[in-house]
Each structure stands twice: as structure tokens, then as C-alpha cells.
């Protein structure tokens, strides 16, 4: 086999049978080899960014490593946003780029020039900060070794993307027929017995415990074990956004999602606990806010994570930390009893859940006599299949989605850490290509929808039955709300200075069905069957995210602001005094 054929056979052997690509001269040999392999399938995208986002989605829906192929220069650099998305969300993906022949490279000439070969670009150095591993191979032997090594790195420990840059002469070189396969690399973590002892101490000391469920639980594939343990122990739990996909939201212990755009009741419970056990969440500033001193001030916070560097960042916060490969978590939890809780704490948790969980309303929509995004999401939630794949984009639209959607057997995700606009459409393509048996919903804001709108042609060409929802408020709503709070409602570049096209005309141009939604009853099951469709949901431009945290306050004091009495009821155990300047009536 030559190098290109070796790559194709390697992908088939490891089960990465879906390859997302845009062609080019420097990757043409590899694409040809993939096309000729009987066990591989490729999908052409209109932009390499879309291909990388589709590859990212593959692991989230099938636990399969997604693969991209791209040419050198702009083809490779166009992958970077999608690669960064996988990196920050711990998603394994494999990106293979073509590179100029080594005899044409600047290194061959021994000169420090910007570029020697056509489209020669040092992609390895560019993606270094947003990959777990990136390398350019320089020989046939290196190709064999580095492919296996990179795949092992991508899928071991805290997972993430890798990139292999393959010069054209290596693609054509004789490699041999012996395929070197990857292996899972062991994580050098603490002994599970020590972690068990430390967690037991945290729970034994607690009277008001709560567990924070993070994405690491699901990424490690141990979600059923954790859900069963939480049910048997009786411990209440809250979730990060990224964790929400991995359990039935009717779980009796679930209180809601926490954070800046979190559920009020879940935020009150976490903020009033005396022990918070964090399983696989990095506690970013959308969870704790930028002022970490206002997070769970009355609690011992105990973080369990596979990434030692994530744990190191808590050294100034006084948190307890445990370094654990979550493959060991199920056996550990079987030996960990839930701490007995006081009746007062149980009653408070139950009250917060009953009062606030799944009770979000849009007071702004009611005032404006327009559609409530929360009502729209709940109606969609009730119509689509219980195992549908729902992919959120960014901005206000995704905040409404995560505040109102209830997971049964659904797969729900968005590009949380990098949060690029334009993710939901190509990710939905990747999901539907690999899981044609499942209903797929691409959920967008009107602004984010534009960033990869060219992929509507990919939907049409492959006749993918995807429902593309657009929450259309004629603006960048999340930025407008920020400008309302801090810039006296000057809507520079969020409404003023930009405009949006007729999505109905665009859908027609791409040969897709179209529905304009102005009343809730127009959302019916027929929209979600019968081929691809753009569902254009018309909202007022002044529709707000509710609740939403504003700067200077802890996560349990969100806008629209509660009166002092209700705020005090939520903070029954820990005092979070409002400064006089922030008090309400």
C-alpha cells in the first residue's frame, strides 16, 4: 500500500468509517484512496469548517472518532475553528491535512522563507494550542507510527482532537501492508481507593450535599452508573449545560442546570449546600461567574476530574480535588454511600425544584405580545421523538433551548466551550449522516445560522431529513441584552449596521421546504417529517433571556430580580447579601 491507501485502511480498521472533506490538490491522493475503500464513506462539505464541526458531532452521537480530510494552506486553516470546538469540549477527532511535497518545502531549501511550495502552510504550529497532538510526518515509517499514536492520544484520558499533516510524497510512498493499530493509553491518576476515602470524608462531613454532574460523566460512558448511584443514594444533583444530555431529566434527584443562564432553583440549591461534589466539570465562568469567591461560599467544593491541570487551577480557591480516570468511577461509587440528609435540607431542595424547575417564562414576550421562545421549545420538545438528536448553536437561542428543553432519551448538545456561531447546521449533517435512523434537529439563531449557511447545499445534495429551526429575532439577541445592561441600549453591530435575508427565499434557492411560524399552533408534527425543512420562528427583537445573571451578582441572584423576601427564602442556609445599590423592593 502507498501512504494514502494506508491511511484509508487504518481508518477502516479503527471504525472511523465516516470522512468529511473538501477536496484539493494536496489531499487528492488520500481522498481517492478513501473513495476506493469498500468500508469507508465520504461526505463533501462546502467549507472545511463545516467538515470539522460534523466530525465533532460524530463522537457526541455515536462515540465514533470523526475524521476530516483537507488540503494544505486555506483548506487546513479553515479547519481550526472546528478543531478548537472539539478541544475545549474534550471531543476526540482526527484531522488529516495534505502538505506540499517535501522537496518543494521551505525546509528542503534551508531558507526561512514565508512559503516555498504552493499553499505551503505550517498548520502543525498553528493548531498546536487547540489539539492534544499535531505532527507532520516525514517518512513512511513515521506515517504508520504517528497515525496510531495520534489516535491513541485523541481517545485516552481527557480526550480531544489531533492533526496529522501528510506531505504529498508520503501519500505516494510505499508503506507496506502491516497496519499498526492504536491502544488506549493509561491515565496516571490517583489510586481509586484514595479518591473513595476522600469523597467519603466530604460526604460524611456534609449535612446539605449536592452533586454537580458534568460532561466528563457522559464522555467517559459511565452515565448509567452515576444515575443509578444518585437514585440509590438519594443525593440531589444539578448539572452543567454540557452534562444535560446524559440522563433522563425526570430523574427524581435532578434539580436543574446551574450557572449564569441556569435554573433559579438549581442555583439556590448549589449556593446553599455545605458540600458540592463536582464530577467531570471544569467549572468555567458561565457556571461560577468571573468572581469565584461568590460560588458556593458555604460549601466544601470537591472536584473529581481526569485532567490534572484543571484541578491545579483550584489551588487558590481552597477546593478539595481528586484526580481520577472515570473508567474507575462506577466501582468507586458502588462503595460510596450517600450522606444522610437533614429533613430541612430535603424539604428545601424539594421546594426549590417545585417552585422553579421547568417553570421559565418569557415576561418580555408577554409584554410584547409575541411568541415566547420557551413555549416554542416546549412544544417542539413534545412533538419530536424521545430519542431525537437536538443540536444547539449559540447566543440567546441556545440559552432558551437549554433553559426549557427536557431530555428523555434525546441527545442534546452544543459547542459549549468555543461556542462558534454556525455550528448547529454542519453538526446536524454529521449526526444525520451517521444516524439516519434518528430524527435530527438543527436549532439556530438567525445570526448564527448565516455562518455556515452554505451547508444547506450539503443537506440538499444528500437529501438529509433535518429540521432546521431558526429563532428569528432580527438581531444578535444575547449581545443586545448585554448592551441593554451596560451600553444604554446602543445596539451597535448587534442590530444596527447589519441585516438578515428572507429565509424563505433562501430555502427555495436550496430546494428545501420552508415554514414561517408566527403562532404556536403552527408548530405541528408534519414539519418534522417529509424531508429537510427550514422552520423560521418569528420573535420580537426585544425577547430576553430569562433568567440571566448580570455582572457583580452571584449565580443565585439573576435578572428579572426576585423581591427580597423570595430571595431570602431561596437562601435559607447561606447568606448572600445584596449591596444596597443592588437591592429590589
Amino acid at each position: 500500500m502507498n501512504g494514502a491507501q494506508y491511511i484509508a485502511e487504518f481508518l477502516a480498521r479503527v471504525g472511523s468509517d465516516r470522512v468529511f472533506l473538501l477536496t484539493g490538490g494536496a489531499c487528492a491522493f488520500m481522498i481517492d484512496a478513501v473513495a476506493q475503500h469498500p468500508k469507508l464513506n465520504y461526505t463533501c462539505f462546502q467549507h472545511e469548517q463545516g467538515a470539522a464541526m460534523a466530525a465533532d458531532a460524530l463522537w457526541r452521537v455515536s462515540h465514533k472518532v470523526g475524521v476530516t480530510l483537507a488540503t494544505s494552506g486555506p483548506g487546513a486553516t479553515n479547519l481550526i475553528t472546528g478543531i478548537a470546538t472539539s478541544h475545549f469540549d474534550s471531543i476526540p477527532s482526527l484531522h488529516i491535512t495534505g502538505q506540499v511535497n517535501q522537496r518543494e518545502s521551505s525546509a528542503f531549501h534551508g531558507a526561512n522563507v514565508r512559503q516555498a511550495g504552493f499553499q505551503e502552510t505550517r498548520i502543525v504550529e498553528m493548531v498546536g494550542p487547540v489539539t492534544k497532538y499535531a505532527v507532520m510526518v516525514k517518512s513512511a515509517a513515521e506515517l504508520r507510527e504517528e497515525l496510531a499514536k495520534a489516535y491513541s492520544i485523541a481517545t485516552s484520558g481527557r480526550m480531544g482532537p489531533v492533526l496529522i499533516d501528510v506531505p504529498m510524497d508520503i501519500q505516494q510512498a510505499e508503506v507496506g501492508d502491516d497496519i499498526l493499530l492504536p491502544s488506549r493509553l493509561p491515565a496516571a491518576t490517583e489510586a481509586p481507593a484514595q479518591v473513595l476515602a476522600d469523597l467519603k470524608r466530604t460526604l460524611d462531613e456534609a449535612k446539605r450535599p449536592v452533586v454537580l454532574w458534568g460532561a466528563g460523566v457522559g464522555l467517559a460512558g459511565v452515565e448509567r452508573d452515576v444515575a443509578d448511584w444518585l437514585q440509590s443514594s438519594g443525593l440531589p444533583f444539578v448539572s452543567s449545560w454540557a452534562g444535560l444530555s446524559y440522563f433522563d431529566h425526570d430523574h427524581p434527584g435532578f434539580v436543574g442546570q446551574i450557572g449564569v443562564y441556569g435554573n433559579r432553583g438549581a442555583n439556590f440549591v448549589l449556593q446553599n449546600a455545605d458540600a458540592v461534589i463536582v464530577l467531570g466539570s471544569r467549572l468555567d465562568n458561565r457556571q461560577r461567574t468571573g468572581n469565584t469567591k461568590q460560588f458556593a461560599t458555604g460549601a466544601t467544593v470537591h472536584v473529581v476530574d481526569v485532567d490534572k491541570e484543571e484541578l491545579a487551577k483550584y489551588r487558590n480557591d481552597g477546593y478539595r480535588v481528586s484526580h481520577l480516570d472515570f473508567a474507575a468511577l462506577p466501582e468507586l461509587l458502588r462503595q460510596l454511600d450517600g450522606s444522610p440528609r437533614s429533613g430541612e435540607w430535603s424539604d428545601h431542595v424539594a421546594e426549590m425544584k417545585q417552585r422553579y424547575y421547568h417553570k421559565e417564562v418569557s415576561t418580555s414576550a408577554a409584554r410584547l405580545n409575541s411568541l415566547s421562545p420557551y413555549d416554542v421549545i416546549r412544544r417542539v420538545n413534545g412533538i419530536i421523538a424521545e430519542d431525537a438528536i437536538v443540536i444547539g448553536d449559540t447566543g440567546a437561542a441556545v440559552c432558551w433551548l437549554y433553559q426549557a428543553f427536557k431530555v428523555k432519551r434525546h441527545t442534546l448538545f452544543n459547542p459549549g466551550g468555543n461556542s462558534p456561531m454556525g455550528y448547529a447546521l454542519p453538526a446536524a449533517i454529521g449526526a444525520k449522516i451517521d444516524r439516519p435512523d434518528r430524527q435530527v434537529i438543527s436549532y439556530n439563531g438567525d445570526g448564527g445560522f448565516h455562518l455556515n449557511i452554505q451547508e444547506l447545499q450539503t443537506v440538499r445534495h444528500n437529501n438529509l431529513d433535518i429540521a432546521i429551526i431558526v429563532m428569528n429575532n432580527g438581531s444578535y439577541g444575547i449581545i443586545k441584552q448585554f448592551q441593554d445592561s451596560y451600553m444604554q441600549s446602543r445596539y451597535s453591530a448587534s442590530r444596527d449596521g447589519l441585516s438578515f435575508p428572507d429565509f424563505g427565499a433562501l430555502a427555495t434557492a436550496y430546494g428545501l421546504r420552508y415554514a414561517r411560524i408566527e403562532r404556536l399552533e403552527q408548530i405541528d408534527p408534519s414539519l418534522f417529517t417529509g424531508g429537510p425543512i427550514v422552520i423560521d420562528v418569528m420573535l420580537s427583537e426585544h425577547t430576553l433571556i430569562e433568567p440571566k445573571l448580570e455582572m457583580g451578582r452571584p449565580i443565585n441572584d439573576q435578572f428579572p430580580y426576585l423581591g427580597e423576601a423570595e430571595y431570602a427564602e431561596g437562601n435559607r442556609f447561606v447568606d448572600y447579601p445584596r449591596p444596597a445599590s443592588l437591592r429590589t423592593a
Side-chain angles (χ1 to χ4, degrees):
M1 290 186 287
N2 64 26
Q5 293 165 333
Y6 182 91
I7 290 169
E9 181 61 24
F10 176 88
L11 296 178
R13 295 277 188 97
V14 298
S16 290
D17 59 338
R18 304 288 181 188
V19 181
F20 306 119
L21 56 85
L22 197 158
T23 194
C27 62
F29 288 111
M30 295 186 290
I31 291 174
D32 185 61
V34 166
Q36 291 187 70
H37 199 289
K39 294 184 179 178
L40 299 180
N41 299 278
Y42 71 89
T43 301
C44 294
F45 278 74
Q46 315 304 314
H47 193 293
E48 292 89 353
Q49 183 182 110
M53 292 171 175
D56 174 269
L58 215 58
W59 180 268
R60 302 186 196 242
V61 301
S62 297
H63 275 208
K64 182 187 296 183
V65 176
V67 179
T68 68
L69 278 175
T71 195
S72 58
T77 59
N78 281 345
L79 293 171
I80 293 177
T81 298
I83 291 173
T85 296
S86 296
H87 184 65
F88 295 125
D89 284 3
S90 309
I91 303 299
S93 54
L94 173 61
H95 304 273
I96 305 172
T97 52
Q99 187 55 272
V100 300
N101 287 304
Q102 293 181 88
R103 65 180 178 275
E104 301 171 15
S105 69
S106 54
F108 180 83
H109 293 294
N112 188 24
V113 294
R114 294 184 180 185
Q115 184 186 65
F118 174 66
Q119 291 189 333
E120 179 187 6
T121 301
R122 294 165 63 180
I123 189 62
V124 168
E125 289 88 339
M126 290 182 180
V127 301
V130 290
T131 54
K132 285 191 72 179
Y133 186 67
V135 65
M136 185 178 83
V137 298
K138 299 177 182 178
S139 68
E142 280 190 14
L143 177 63
R144 297 178 68 255
E145 295 164 2
E146 295 290 1
L147 261 179
K149 179 180 178 181
Y151 195 96
S152 297
I153 290 171
T155 55
S156 299
R158 183 180 181 182
M159 299 179 294
V162 294
L163 182 139
I164 304 291
D165 197 30
V166 188
M168 292 179 68
D169 52 306
I170 304 302
Q171 296 174 38
Q172 300 168 77
E174 180 60 33
V175 178
D177 296 339
D178 181 26
I179 303 296
L180 183 61
L181 293 174
S183 58
R184 191 172 189 274
L185 304 176
T189 58
E190 291 180 60
Q194 182 60 55
V195 177
L196 174 64
D198 291 342
L199 284 172
K200 188 175 186 306
R201 176 165 68 100
T202 297
L203 280 175
D204 286 347
E205 294 171 355
K207 295 181 179 178
R208 304 189 307 277
V210 67
V211 173
L212 171 53
W213 180 307
V217 172
L219 292 172
V222 297
E223 60 269 25
R224 290 184 181 178
D225 301 275
V226 174
D228 290 347
W229 173 71
L230 286 166
Q231 183 148 5
S232 64
S233 70
L235 288 168
F237 73 100
V238 296
S239 178
S240 69
W241 270 18
L244 284 173
S245 184
Y246 298 108
F247 57 90
D248 187 327
H249 290 190
D250 286 328
H251 191 294
F254 181 51
V255 185
Q257 76 280 5
I258 60 103
V260 170
Y261 307 104
N263 176 269
R264 288 190 193 273
N267 281 340
F268 275 132
V269 168
L270 182 140
Q271 292 286 82
N272 281 265
D274 65 357
V276 180
I277 293 178
V278 182
L279 298 178
S281 175
R282 61 190 179 87
L283 296 180
D284 77 336
N285 63 6
R286 289 299 183 270
Q287 295 179 63
R288 293 194 296 170
T289 80
N291 183 1
T292 60
K293 300 303 181 186
Q294 292 183 318
F295 181 79
T297 61
T300 297
V301 179
H302 190 155
V303 184
V304 187
D305 203 282
V306 71
D307 188 336
K308 194 171 185 178
E309 290 303 314
E310 289 291 348
L311 299 175
K313 75 185 184 186
Y314 304 122
R315 61 171 61 93
N316 296 325
D317 296 314
Y319 293 178
R320 292 178 184 172
V321 298
S322 294
H323 188 206
L324 183 73
D325 184 336
F326 276 29
L329 189 59
E331 180 58 33
L332 184 154
L333 292 179
R334 281 190 277 273
Q335 304 173 63
L336 185 66
D337 295 326
S339 173
R341 291 171 287 147
S342 69
E344 190 178 12
W345 178 240
S346 297
D347 291 345
H348 184 66
V349 171
E351 182 183 343
M352 292 298 99
K353 181 172 182 177
Q354 189 280 327
R355 182 180 294 187
Y356 299 112
Y357 177 61
H358 211 52
K359 301 288 175 63
E360 284 79 10
V361 296
S362 179
T363 63
S364 59
R367 185 177 67 253
L368 297 161
N369 194 30
S370 65
L371 274 175
S372 162
Y374 301 116
D375 290 344
V376 168
I377 291 159
R378 291 187 181 111
R379 187 169 179 89
V380 170
N381 203 167
I383 288 174
I384 62 176
E386 283 194 354
D387 70 342
I389 298 167
V390 181
I391 304 168
D393 204 75
T394 60
V398 83
C399 295
W400 297 322
L401 175 68
Y402 274 78
Q403 288 175 326
F405 195 88
K406 285 184 73 174
V407 169
K408 291 296 292 180
R409 293 180 294 114
H410 306 91
T411 299
L412 173 71
F413 61 92
N414 81 305
N418 198 36
S419 198
M421 293 195 295
Y423 173 85
L425 179 56
I429 293 169
K432 190 66 178 180
I433 288 286
D434 197 61
R435 296 303 306 268
D437 57 312
R438 293 177 65 182
Q439 201 171 42
V440 176
I441 316 297
S442 169
Y443 174 91
N444 312 262
D446 51 351
F449 183 43
H450 276 102
L451 270 287
N452 278 309
I453 203 165
Q454 72 283 342
E455 301 308 337
L456 290 176
Q457 183 59 32
T458 310
V459 173
R460 176 68 278 166
H461 179 81
N462 294 281
N463 195 29
L464 300 175
D465 191 4
I466 297 172
I468 303 159
I469 297 175
V470 182
M471 303 295 272
N472 191 341
N473 59 1
S475 62
Y476 296 143
I478 197 168
I479 303 300
K480 282 179 75 271
Q481 191 164 347
F482 186 81
Q483 291 166 324
D484 284 335
S485 297
Y486 307 110
M487 299 169 194
Q488 294 76 53
S489 298
R490 295 187 298 273
Y491 299 138
S492 303
S494 62
R495 183 197 66 186
D496 301 341
L498 78 154
S499 60
F500 301 94
D502 180 339
F503 290 129
L506 267 175
T508 299
Y510 282 104
L512 306 181
R513 294 187 300 149
Y514 173 79
R516 180 183 171 96
I517 305 299
E518 296 178 323
R519 302 184 312 278
L520 201 61
E521 60 269 20
Q522 291 176 296
I523 303 174
D524 66 63
S526 67
L527 299 179
F528 300 91
T529 59
I533 186 172
V534 175
I535 302 170
D536 196 5
V537 181
M538 309 309 295
L539 304 175
S540 166
E541 69 164 285
H542 298 297
T543 309
L544 301 178
I545 306 163
E546 304 175 58
K548 174 188 181 297
L549 190 70
E550 296 184 325
M551 289 191 291
R553 298 175 185 261
I555 59 172
N556 46 322
D557 193 13
Q558 298 162 291
F559 169 88
Y561 297 110
L562 302 178
E564 295 295 335
E566 188 173 354
Y567 182 66
E569 288 175 17
N571 295 315
R572 184 181 302 177
F573 300 95
V574 180
D575 190 23
Y576 290 89
R578 286 168 166 162
S581 61
L582 298 180
R583 288 177 188 163
T584 64

